[in-house]
Amino acid sequence: MRKIITLSSAVMLCLSMSCTKEVANKQVAAQSTATGKLKTEATSTFAYGSDVSWVTQMEASGKKFYNSSGTQQDLFTVLGGKGINAIRLRVWVNPSSTYNSTADVVAKAKRAAAAGMSILIDFHYSDTWADPGNQTKPVAWASLDFNTLMTTMYNYTYNTLNTLKSNGITPTWVQVGNETSDGMLWQDGRASVSATNFKNFAWLVNCGYNATKAIYPSAKVIVHVANGFNNTTTRWIFDGLKANGASWDVCGFSVYPSTSSWSTTNTQVLANMQDMVTRYGKQVMICEAGMDVSAATTSKAFLTDLIAKTKSVSGGLGVFYWEPEAYASWQGYTMGAFDSSGKPTVAMDAFVH
């Protein structure tokens, strides 16, 4: 049954920082505020992860996957053989095709769970790609006033996660927004526009946070930004979220260095992650990483070092490679980690543990 949620403007104004709801026949988890202390326990298992959201689309087009010996296997089996123990899956609101829809995500999450892998759900809050330059509202949400937008975002997050739960899926992490380096759901939540817009962004983060905790109280909520080496942008985003009362558990980052600068980039990423732990009391994660597929040996060195650096951080949770299975320039993407025959390159050996 669809939960009915009412947003009280008076309560919202009183709290001045929260997306607070009542769910029919259900008490929503209590608000938490950003403090200088870790609010969640460290995970016992480091996430050696991959985002494989393209897998069903690739399979439908006839793509097959092989282990390093050339034996055809299910992609999740191939990845498990390389040490991958966690899977990240993006979800779009109303995509133009079935891919990345809630139903598609459920199907992939079931496969990941059956393979014994932990799951990260990545909400884009768009009908298509969300990234630092694109945070387009879903078409169905485009004309909503901000209060209704918050209610809708909460309901959508709640209902999507509830669908996963009803299918036996328990994600370890939930990412509320993708590469939200300037907020989400533009223009309302575009942080750089004004102080009001930054507060809107914080309230939207809380809508995602509260909806997640209502379904999965133990799931860790991630706020994800691009360019994990850039401490200036990172502090600007998370300082603003903290100042506006946002709640989150994990600071997540993307890292896509060049083949010549990866060592310097990784050093900057390490310093940035350490700063997040010290400055905000948060855990940290590399939600996306990648390098040109033609530089597999260099990519392995980059990933091996990035994994070691992330593990060295108190609160370092894991490293996810973004779409390693995207081979033969799938969708024009050339930063996968499988060769043109559908086998993992040496880059994936960085995840063997």
Side-chain angles (χ1 to χ4, degrees), residues 15 36 65 84 115 178 183 192 201 216 256 259 263-264 268 283 290 295 298 301 333 338 351-352:
L15 294 176
F65 305 97
I84 297 300
N178 191 73
S192 64
F201 174 39
Y216 299 113
Y256 293 96
T259 56
S263 182
T264 298
Q268 294 169 330
Q283 295 174 307
T298 304
Y333 189 67
F338 277 49
F351 292 95
V352 176

Side-chain angles (χ1 to χ4, degrees), residues 9 18 94 159 197 237 306:
S9 297
S18 311
N94 291 306
N159 291 333
N197 286 68
I237 278 289
L306 183 63

Side-chain angles (χ1 to χ4, degrees), residues 173-224:
W173 315 274
V174 174
Q175 188 179 302
V176 291
N178 191 73
E179 293 191 325
T180 55
S181 301
D182 191 13
M184 67 173 82
L185 291 166
W186 291 352
Q187 287 290 100
D188 290 283
R190 189 165 193 171
S192 64
V193 171
S194 67
T196 296
N197 286 68
F198 212 132
K199 181 174 285 188
N200 288 349
F201 174 39
W203 286 2
L204 291 168
V205 167
N206 280 348
C207 289
Y209 181 94
N210 292 336
T212 297
K213 297 295 184 176
I215 300 296
Y216 299 113
S218 297
K220 297 177 187 297
V221 175
I222 304 168
V223 172
H224 174 219

Side-chain angles (χ1 to χ4, degrees), residues 5 7 17-21 23 28-32 91 121-125 141 146-162 164 171-178 180 184-185 199-224 241 245-250:
I5 298 163
L7 174 66
M17 67 176 64
S18 311
C19 182
T20 306
K21 309 282 193 295
V23 182
V28 176
Q31 296 284 329
S32 65
V91 55
I121 298 298
D122 170 19
F123 284 103
H124 281 227
Y125 297 119
W141 303 5
F146 186 64
N147 282 4
T148 307
L149 179 65
M150 286 196 293
T151 305
T152 302
M153 177 181 163
Y154 180 101
N155 281 334
Y156 165 72
T157 307
Y158 184 100
N159 291 333
T160 301
L161 295 177
N162 199 38
L164 284 162
T172 304
W173 315 274
V174 174
Q175 188 179 302
V176 291
N178 191 73
T180 55
M184 67 173 82
L185 291 166
K199 181 174 285 188
N200 288 349
F201 174 39
W203 286 2
L204 291 168
V205 167
N206 280 348
C207 289
Y209 181 94
N210 292 336
T212 297
K213 297 295 184 176
I215 300 296
Y216 299 113
S218 297
K220 297 177 187 297
V221 175
I222 304 168
V223 172
H224 174 219
L241 287 174
S247 295
W248 76 99
D249 303 315
V250 180

Side-chain angles (χ1 to χ4, degrees), residues 39-317:
K39 297 193 291 296
T40 53
E41 296 179 1
T43 54
S44 58
T45 303
F46 188 83
Y48 297 86
S50 291
D51 187 316
V52 296
S53 301
W54 265 326
V55 60
T56 47
Q57 190 174 0
M58 292 183 73
E59 290 170 340
S61 74
K63 295 290 187 184
K64 301 183 186 303
F65 305 97
Y66 304 85
N67 65 18
S68 296
S69 299
T71 302
Q72 184 183 336
Q73 294 179 325
D74 180 81
L75 175 62
F76 294 90
T77 302
V78 176
L79 292 173
K82 289 297 182 182
I84 297 300
N85 62 11
I87 294 295
R88 180 176 182 254
L89 300 169
R90 62 179 166 271
V91 55
W92 295 345
V93 178
N94 291 306
S96 59
S97 68
T98 60
Y99 302 113
N100 305 313
S101 65
T102 298
D104 183 48
V105 170
V106 168
K108 290 178 288 196
K110 285 182 174 180
R111 292 170 64 180
M117 296 173 174
S118 301
I119 295 167
L120 191 168
I121 298 298
D122 170 19
F123 284 103
H124 281 227
Y125 297 119
S126 182
D127 294 334
T128 186
W129 303 100
D131 55 43
N134 300 279
Q135 296 286 336
T136 305
K137 289 179 186 174
V139 171
W141 303 5
S143 62
L144 301 178
D145 64 78
F146 186 64
N147 282 4
T148 307
L149 179 65
M150 286 196 293
T151 305
T152 302
M153 177 181 163
Y154 180 101
N155 281 334
Y156 165 72
T157 307
Y158 184 100
N159 291 333
T160 301
L161 295 177
N162 199 38
T163 298
L164 284 162
K165 185 176 182 180
S166 69
N167 279 275
I169 304 300
T170 302
T172 304
W173 315 274
V174 174
Q175 188 179 302
V176 291
N178 191 73
E179 293 191 325
T180 55
S181 301
D182 191 13
M184 67 173 82
L185 291 166
W186 291 352
Q187 287 290 100
D188 290 283
R190 189 165 193 171
S192 64
V193 171
S194 67
T196 296
N197 286 68
F198 212 132
K199 181 174 285 188
N200 288 349
F201 174 39
W203 286 2
L204 291 168
V205 167
N206 280 348
C207 289
Y209 181 94
N210 292 336
T212 297
K213 297 295 184 176
I215 300 296
Y216 299 113
S218 297
K220 297 177 187 297
V221 175
I222 304 168
V223 172
H224 174 219
V225 300
N227 297 333
F229 57 86
N230 190 325
N231 186 248
T232 300
T233 299
T234 301
R235 280 192 172 197
W236 174 71
I237 278 289
F238 288 111
D239 279 357
L241 287 174
K242 181 178 180 180
N244 284 286
S247 295
W248 76 99
D249 303 315
V250 180
C251 299
F253 302 103
S254 296
V255 185
Y256 293 96
S258 70
T259 56
S260 61
S261 67
W262 67 263
S263 182
T264 298
T265 298
N266 279 5
T267 298
Q268 294 169 330
V269 170
L270 173 61
N272 199 25
M273 290 191 293
Q274 290 171 330
D275 187 45
M276 297 302 98
V277 174
T278 301
R279 191 173 181 86
Y280 309 110
K282 304 298 180 182
Q283 295 174 307
V284 292
M285 173 181 282
I286 305 301
C287 298
E288 297 183 19
M291 185 175 282
D292 196 294
V293 68
S294 67
T297 301
T298 304
S299 182
K300 178 185 175 183
F302 151 61
L303 292 166
T304 299
D305 183 67
L306 183 63
I307 289 168
K309 281 181 166 57
T310 305
K311 291 180 75 172
S312 76
V313 178
S314 174
L317 299 180

